[in-house]
């Protein structure tokens, strides 16, 4: 899968860490291509690496004649996506006419960029910084229906206007890499807790070996050399740093300050230096090439910063890696890099006398400088070397690439889109005519609906079978619909009422969840409590007791892990071949592999899963994908929900012999009753598989009702050991035009008329 990295300007002298990250990710085997909104000035592409990146980067500005063609193509071939993206651009802005005009501009750039990405077969878009380029990237991803992610750096991304738009970006992002815990905490306060799992720490990094190759320069002048490398702008607090130097000189410390960099404050700083009579002590050489920064650091005794706001300064990492004693403010992520009096000295931001104290302590104590420098060098090597720093984001991107191979996004051609539009139209017509209303279609019937996983979108993107999951927001929408149109409850409650002949004004509907997943406890339970509804949860007791995953999840995560490297994939496929299986070619290969594995006898299937785990050591199921434990199941019952049996080992009963079938049914029930201290009389067939022998065994085991996966509603003639249900997911009830969940489509699906288009 090709991954696009998009920034406002690339390459950029002040953002060399992005170029290093791109290089390190490519060395991990990821296919990274770079895009930039605007081109760098000639002075920012002097180095050989910068020239190479400039030549391989595609730039939005200045636009070319193909800008017009991109928009004509969008209007003609992708009108729905084009209109939807334009509407999103108008919503994703701050108030005001200037912001409105910029939103239209960003939309124009996004479509232009997206058509280029479509031609280059990009599968994922990643932005650095939550700035206008991130808005362009977000809009391009929505136009192409691609996953999008973001790296957050500093305080400026939380200020107006970027900060006002940031919550929307965080909600839409697949993942959010944060350079510091401080940055992550600021992002977490801006969105709901269900979005927190998508945020993780991914440090900026430096090439430690390359920096250490720079030879230190011995200071023979006797004057302490203080260096600052920064953009000369107000937030860097450089006027305060000059003031601290003045205080230092007044105390009799023989020191000089060198401010390397360029920016809007250059002239003002020169005036300040001349006004204070420090022309001989302060030098402002302007911008230097990136390759010269290590030499600048090598000549310094102390590296100092005066910043009021930062993210995680890369130049501070470079100074530490080179063994220069550092002084920096307690701002944002700096304390995560520089531990006070261990790997450097910290001071309160804006407190120039305190900064002068720290500089004086270092200037007068060479041993202190050496001690701090050695600890700082070790700190950077341990966590901030670029090859270690990129691992979190590399892992997430390689997972996305693996998912694209095994669980590709649904791609519809013109025929598929037309069928979806026809389905939507039929659903709306039936809703307007009242023919799909619950009271009309289900007045004397019992409807059973089933969900499996409830995962935030960021986790659904990591799950091997996304159609088995709804997000908490989607579940809330479903529950609100059910509460309006049905008399809802658990399966036991609704079936007892139905069997007793009760026919309430609103039709009966039982809400069920298969497999007893942990996410049901964390995300479904609060939504059910909010809606005031009860549900049934069917649990395989053996997996709960062992704390392991159901076989199809173990297989799915093993396949994803295998797809992340050639060696692992080869081992995975070799083990499959020993069982006369293979990873199918063509669409949805993982789903089709699961269907093949289902045909194996239960013991063979367990042995296959163990084989695959041995073949792919990284094939672990993450904790969020496991099942509820015994305590959580008791809590589910205590708040009024039903827990039913799903066998011991999630076996398909028709594949079992009579003795095993009886054991799976009886022991799972006995275990649940001992855990919950209440009777259990509802059952759900794993995989929905049921034959005559299985249905008879369920009845003999004492269950009052059992649910299959046969689609439809239940009448008074339905065998209670073979109840029908509707398996629900959000993808099937999403409107093609608006991409929102549609009540007419859900009514259509539950009506029994749903044609499967």
């Amino acid at each position: 899968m090709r991954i696009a990295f998009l920034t406002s300007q690339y390459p950029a002298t002040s953002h060399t860490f992005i170029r290093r990250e791109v290089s390190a990710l490519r060395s991990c085997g990821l296919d990274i291509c770079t895009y930039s909104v605007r081109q760098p000035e000639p002075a920012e592409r002097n180095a050989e690496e910068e020239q190479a990146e400039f030549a391989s980067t595609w730039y939005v500005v200045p636009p070319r004649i193909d800008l017009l063609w991109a928009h004509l193509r969008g209007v003609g071939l992708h009108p729905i996506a084009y209109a939807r993206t334009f509407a999103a651009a108008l919503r994703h802005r701050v108030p005001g006419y200037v912001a409105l005009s910029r939103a239209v501009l960003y939309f124009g750039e996004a479509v232009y960029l997206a058509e280029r990405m479509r031609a280059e077969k990009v599968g994922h878009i990643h932005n650095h910084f939550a700035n206008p380029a991130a808005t362009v990237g977000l809009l391009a991803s929505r136009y192409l229906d691609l996953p999008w992610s973001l790296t957050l750096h500093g305080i400026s991304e939380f200020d107006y206007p970027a900060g006002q738009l940031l919550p929307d970006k965080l909600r839409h992002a697949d993942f959010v890499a944060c350079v510091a815990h401080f940055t992550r905490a600021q992002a977490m306060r801006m969105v709901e807790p269900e979005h927190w799992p998508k945020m993780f720490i991914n440090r900026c990094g430096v090439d430690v070996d390359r920096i250490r190759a720079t030879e230190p320069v011995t200071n023979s002048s006797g004057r302490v050399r203080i260096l600052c490398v920064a953009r000369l702008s107000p937030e860097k607090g450089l006027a305060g740093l000059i003031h601290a130097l003045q205080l230092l000189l007044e105390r009799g410390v023989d020191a000089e300050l060198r401010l390397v960099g360029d920016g809007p404050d250059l002239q003002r700083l020169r005036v300040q230096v001349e006004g204070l009579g420090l022309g001989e002590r302060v030098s402002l050489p302007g911008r230097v090439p990136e390759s010269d920064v290590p030499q600048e650091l090598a000549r310094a005794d102390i590296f100092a910063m005066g910043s009021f706001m930062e993210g995680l300064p890369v130049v501070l990492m470079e100074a530490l890696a080179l063994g220069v004693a550092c002084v920096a403010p307690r701002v944002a992520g700096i304390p995560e890099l520089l531990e006070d009096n261990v790997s450097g000295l910290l001071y309160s931001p804006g407190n120039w006398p305190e900064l002068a104290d720290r500089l004086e302590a270092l200037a007068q104590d060479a041993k202190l400088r050496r001690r701090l420098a050695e600890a700082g060098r070790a700190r950077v090597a341990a966590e901030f070397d670029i090859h270690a720093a990129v691992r979190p984001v590399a892992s997430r991107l390689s997972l996305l690439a693996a998912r694209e191979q095994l669980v590709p996004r649904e791609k519809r051609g013109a025929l598929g889109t037309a069928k979806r539009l026809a389905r939507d139209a039929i659903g709306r017509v039936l809703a307007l005519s009242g023919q799909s209303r619950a009271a009309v279609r289900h007045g004397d019937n019992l409807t059973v609906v089933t969900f499996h996983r409830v995962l935030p979108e960021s986790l659904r993107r990591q799950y091997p079978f996304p159609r088995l999951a709804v997000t908490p927001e989607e579940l809330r929408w479903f529950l609100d619909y059910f509460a309006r149109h049905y008399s809802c409850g658990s399966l036991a409650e609704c079936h007892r009422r139905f069997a007793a002949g009760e026919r309430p004004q609103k039709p009966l509907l039982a809400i069920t969840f298969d497999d007893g997943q942990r996410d049901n406890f964390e995300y479904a339970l609060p939504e059910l409590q909010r809606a005031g509804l009860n549900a049934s949860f069917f649990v395989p007791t053996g997996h709960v007791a062992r704390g392991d995953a159901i076989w199809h999840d173990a297989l799915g995560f093993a396949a994803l892990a295998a797809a992340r490297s050639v060696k692992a994939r080869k081992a995975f496929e070799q083990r499959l071949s020993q069982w006369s299986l293979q990873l199918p070619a063509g669409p949805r290969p993982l789903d089709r592999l699961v269907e093949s594995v289902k045909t194996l006898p239960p013991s063979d299937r367990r042995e296959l899963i163990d084989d695959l785990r041995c073949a792919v050591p990284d094939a672990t199921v993450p904790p969020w994908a496991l099942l509820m434990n015994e305590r959580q199941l008791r809590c589910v019952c205590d708040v009024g929900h039903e827990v039913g049996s799903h066998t011991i080992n999630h076996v398909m009963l028709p594949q079992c012999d009579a003795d095993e079938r009886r054991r799976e049914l009886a022991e799972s029930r006995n275990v649940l009753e001992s855990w919950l201290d209440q009777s259990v009389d509802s059952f759900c067939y794993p995989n929905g598989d049921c034959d005559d022998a299985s249905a008879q065994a369920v009845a003999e085991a004492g269950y009052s009702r059992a649910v299959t996966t046969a689609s439809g509603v239940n009448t008074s003639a339905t065998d209670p050991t073979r109840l029908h249900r509707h398996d629900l997911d959000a993808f099937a009830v999403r409107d093609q035009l608006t991409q929102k969940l549609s009540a007419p489509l859900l009514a259509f699906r539950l009506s029994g008329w749903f044609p499967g288009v």
Side-chain angles (χ1 to χ4, degrees):
M1 181 179 72
R2 177 161 289 181
I3 299 160
F5 264 52
L6 173 65
T7 56
S8 291
Q9 178 188 305
Y10 182 83
T13 302
S14 58
H15 298 152
T16 55
F17 54 86
I18 299 177
R19 198 192 69 234
R20 284 193 290 268
E21 181 175 285
V22 167
S23 177
L25 290 172
R26 285 171 175 162
S27 70
C28 295
L30 292 167
D31 184 7
I32 308 291
C33 52
T34 52
Y35 298 83
S36 176
V37 173
R38 64 178 186 273
Q39 298 185 7
E41 297 294 329
E44 295 198 76
R45 52 178 196 260
N46 288 328
E48 184 178 340
E49 297 97 328
E50 291 165 345
Q51 291 173 0
E53 289 301 301
F54 173 72
S56 63
T57 299
W58 190 84
Y59 295 94
V60 177
V61 178
R64 293 156 291 278
I65 190 64
D66 54 346
L67 170 65
L68 177 60
W69 170 245
H71 282 269
L72 290 174
R73 180 181 174 86
V75 172
L77 298 181
H78 312 287
I80 296 174
Y82 190 89
R84 198 164 53 228
T85 306
F86 183 69
L90 297 183
R91 290 193 302 269
H92 189 77
R93 64 179 179 88
V94 297
Y97 291 111
V98 174
L100 177 61
S101 64
R102 286 177 178 164
V104 175
L105 173 65
Y106 297 153
F107 166 74
E109 292 177 339
V111 172
Y112 185 33
L113 173 68
E115 288 297 338
R116 176 72 181 194
M117 290 180 172
R118 190 196 303 277
E120 297 188 343
K121 295 181 171 53
V122 165
H124 180 87
I125 303 173
H126 183 80
N127 271 97
H128 269 273
F129 298 101
N131 54 18
T135 298
V136 173
L138 174 61
L139 294 174
S141 74
R142 298 182 74 168
Y143 177 71
L144 295 171
D145 191 26
L146 292 179
W148 176 79
S149 55
L150 176 66
T151 294
L152 289 178
H153 291 265
I155 292 297
S156 62
E157 293 161 287
F158 301 95
D159 289 344
Y160 187 89
Q164 188 162 333
L165 302 177
L166 185 56
D168 190 41
K169 288 185 171 74
L170 297 176
R171 293 185 185 104
H172 280 93
D174 267 54
F175 65 80
V176 180
C178 304
V179 300
H181 289 282
F182 174 85
T183 310
R184 182 172 179 262
Q186 296 308 302
M188 291 169 72
R189 73 180 173 86
M190 304 189 81
V191 291
E192 300 77 14
E194 55 261 35
H195 296 286
W196 294 356
K198 71 173 69 172
M199 303 174 189
F200 61 92
I201 303 302
N202 191 86
R203 305 294 195 184
C204 295
V206 296
D207 190 336
V208 171
D209 292 337
R210 184 173 181 178
I211 292 173
R212 287 182 177 178
T214 305
E215 292 292 333
V217 178
T218 304
N219 183 0
S220 58
S221 68
R223 181 178 289 181
V224 175
R225 295 182 295 204
I226 303 170
L227 174 69
C228 179
V229 180
R231 173 172 165 77
L232 307 186
S233 52
E235 73 274 8
K236 297 299 182 181
L238 298 173
L241 184 56
I242 293 171
H243 179 64
L245 175 71
Q246 182 186 24
L247 295 177
L248 206 61
L249 295 173
E250 290 173 357
R251 298 175 188 181
V253 178
D254 189 13
E256 63 183 16
L257 173 63
R258 184 171 173 84
L259 296 177
V260 174
D262 199 359
D265 275 6
L266 177 59
Q267 189 57 37
R268 186 174 61 79
L269 293 173
R270 283 175 174 165
V271 170
Q272 180 188 5
V273 169
E274 291 302 319
L276 294 173
L278 298 177
E280 192 265 333
R281 296 283 183 165
V282 179
S283 59
L284 290 139
R287 176 189 294 159
V288 302
E290 179 199 353
S291 57
D292 291 351
V293 171
Q295 282 76 27
E296 293 282 350
L297 292 167
R299 287 190 287 269
D301 298 303
I302 301 170
F303 182 83
M305 302 181 69
S307 302
F308 301 125
M309 55 187 290
E310 284 287 352
L312 195 66
V314 175
V315 69
L316 183 57
M317 298 177 200
E318 293 174 331
L320 291 168
L322 200 54
V324 181
C326 296
V327 181
R330 293 182 183 87
V331 168
I334 288 178
E336 299 174 35
L337 171 62
L338 200 71
E339 187 177 354
D340 192 30
N341 205 33
V342 176
S343 52
L345 297 181
L346 296 174
Y347 69 95
S348 303
N351 189 335
W352 311 127
E354 186 181 5
L355 171 57
D357 292 342
R358 299 294 187 266
L359 292 171
E360 182 179 9
L362 288 175
Q364 295 183 341
D365 191 342
K367 288 184 178 179
L368 175 62
R369 293 202 300 270
R370 285 194 296 272
R371 176 174 67 81
L372 297 178
E374 289 172 3
R377 184 187 289 117
R379 175 84 176 102
V380 170
E383 189 173 350
F384 297 92
D385 179 73
I386 186 61
H387 300 290
V390 299
R391 285 174 190 159
V393 76
S395 175
R396 198 62 67 94
L397 290 172
S398 64
L399 175 60
L400 286 170
R403 275 180 53 82
E404 186 61 23
Q405 293 179 45
L406 299 175
V407 194
R409 290 170 291 108
E410 185 178 3
K411 297 178 182 178
R412 296 189 209 102
L415 179 60
T417 300
K419 290 171 68 175
R420 280 295 184 107
L421 292 172
R423 176 207 65 174
D424 297 353
I426 295 170
R428 282 190 288 269
V429 168
L430 289 173
L432 288 171
S433 67
Q435 294 304 303
S436 61
R437 284 193 304 119
V440 172
R441 295 296 297 168
H442 305 145
D444 295 329
N445 302 325
L446 168 63
T447 301
V448 180
V449 295
T450 299
F451 300 95
H452 289 79
R453 287 192 174 274
V454 183
L455 295 170
E457 183 61 32
S458 59
L459 294 181
R460 180 162 68 180
R461 293 273 194 182
Q462 300 176 46
Y463 184 55
F465 311 102
R467 294 192 74 99
L468 287 180
V470 295
T471 67
E473 298 88 350
E474 290 166 349
L475 178 63
R476 183 180 309 163
W477 181 89
F478 277 109
L479 296 179
D480 287 345
Y481 179 90
F482 297 150
R484 288 194 305 270
H485 298 284
Y486 292 90
S487 179
C488 305
S490 67
L491 179 65
E493 173 191 351
C494 289
H495 185 255
R496 287 192 194 107
R497 294 172 66 187
F498 184 72
E502 184 178 341
R503 300 296 183 265
Q505 185 176 4
K506 292 181 180 180
L508 289 165
L509 180 138
I511 303 169
T512 70
F513 292 82
D514 272 8
D515 301 338
Q517 308 288 1
R518 185 175 299 175
D519 53 69
N520 291 181
F521 182 83
E522 294 179 0
Y523 300 109
L525 212 57
E527 294 300 332
L528 288 164
Q529 299 299 98
R530 182 199 63 82
L533 301 177
N534 290 335
S536 298
F537 297 83
F538 293 105
V539 182
T541 55
H543 290 288
V544 173
R546 293 189 298 269
D548 60 6
I550 296 173
W551 70 268
H552 63 261
D553 282 342
L555 175 62
F557 281 105
L560 287 181
R564 296 168 74 170
S565 76
V566 174
K567 181 180 178 181
R569 179 161 183 149
K570 190 176 294 186
F572 182 84
E573 292 180 339
Q574 184 178 10
R575 293 299 176 98
L576 283 179
S577 66
Q578 294 174 2
W579 292 86
S580 300
L581 296 168
Q582 62 179 354
L583 196 59
R588 309 195 71 83
L590 188 52
D591 288 343
R592 290 157 62 206
L593 175 62
V594 168
E595 291 302 316
S596 298
V597 175
K598 283 179 182 177
T599 63
L600 297 176
S603 59
D604 288 354
R605 190 160 50 240
R606 286 191 292 269
E607 190 175 344
L608 167 64
I609 299 301
D610 290 340
D611 278 355
L612 294 176
R613 284 174 178 158
C614 294
V616 187
D618 294 334
T620 56
V621 177
W624 56 261
L626 298 175
L627 277 65
M628 286 186 269
N629 58 35
E630 183 181 339
R631 178 189 60 79
Q632 291 167 330
L633 290 172
R634 281 198 297 269
C635 181
V636 166
C637 285
D638 289 344
V639 295
H641 302 289
E642 178 190 23
V643 174
S645 170
H646 207 35
T647 71
I648 302 172
N649 297 305
H650 201 270
V651 295
M652 285 163 270
L653 293 182
Q655 294 181 333
C656 302
D657 60 36
D659 290 338
E660 185 179 7
R661 193 159 43 228
R662 281 193 294 270
R663 186 179 69 84
E664 288 281 344
L665 291 167
E667 287 190 19
S668 62
R669 183 183 185 187
N670 292 339
V671 168
L672 283 175
E673 290 181 340
S674 68
W675 286 349
L676 306 174
D677 196 26
Q678 59 182 251
S679 63
V680 171
D681 60 356
S682 294
F683 179 78
C684 178
Y685 295 94
N687 200 51
D689 283 14
C690 174
D691 57 9
D692 291 341
S694 300
Q696 182 179 348
V698 166
E700 291 173 350
Y703 293 98
S704 300
R705 64 200 65 85
V707 185
T708 68
T709 54
S711 182
V713 296
N714 300 285
T715 68
S716 56
T718 304
D719 183 347
T721 63
R722 299 191 188 203
L723 295 176
H724 301 160
R725 75 184 192 187
H726 292 284
D727 284 287
L728 295 182
D729 67 71
F731 299 93
V733 294
R734 199 179 296 281
D735 187 275
Q736 175 72 18
L737 290 174
T738 65
Q739 290 299 297
K740 294 181 178 179
L741 299 180
S742 167
L745 285 182
L746 179 55
F748 187 18
R749 184 173 182 83
L750 297 177
S751 69
W753 283 325
F754 194 74
V757 297

